[in-house]
Amino acid sequence: MPALEAHLDTPRAERYLAQLTSHLGHGPGGLKVLSTAADELVVDLGTATWTVRATGDQLVLRVEAGDQAELEQQSERVAHRIEQIARRDALRVDWRQG
């Protein structure tokens, strides 16, 4: 299954994870939270799975999809959402093959 990962350096990783967990728990846009833990969130994007982990001073993002086209589309969606909530810290998502 194709996958992309991004590692964002931020001392606020846990804060961003908590914010995403709270926001996505309401199921905006048909998203479905599959799993939550103290340091991880797993979200069903419909055609892909998005995992967010807080590890010390990093927010780790992973998107997996059934094909490359869906992976590209969903990774853009995830990057946009992260960059919106982290605009004050100017975080940018730089995807790498995972």
Side-chain angles (χ1 to χ4, degrees):
M1 180 174 289
L4 293 173
E5 278 194 6
H7 295 252
L8 289 70
D9 293 327
T10 176
R12 299 179 192 201
E14 290 179 7
R15 178 180 171 269
Y16 286 123
L17 178 61
Q19 184 177 357
L20 285 165
T21 300
S22 174
H23 177 67
L24 297 176
H26 301 293
L31 301 178
K32 180 180 176 187
V33 173
L34 298 176
S35 171
T36 60
D39 63 348
E40 184 177 80
L41 169 68
V42 181
V43 180
D44 179 352
L45 300 173
T47 58
T49 303
W50 172 22
T51 304
V52 184
R53 287 185 292 124
T55 60
D57 286 347
Q58 278 196 336
L59 190 64
V60 180
L61 311 174
R62 181 175 177 87
V63 177
E64 297 178 20
D67 64 54
Q68 194 64 35
E70 280 301 319
L71 182 63
E72 289 176 20
Q73 180 180 358
Q74 296 295 354
S75 63
E76 286 178 21
R77 180 180 181 192
V78 166
H80 177 72
R81 184 167 301 246
I82 292 295
E83 290 172 0
Q84 270 187 320
I85 69 165
R87 67 186 170 275
R88 289 184 182 150
D89 293 332
L91 294 183
R92 294 286 172 236
V93 177
D94 181 23
W95 295 111
R96 302 194 189 281
Q97 293 296 328

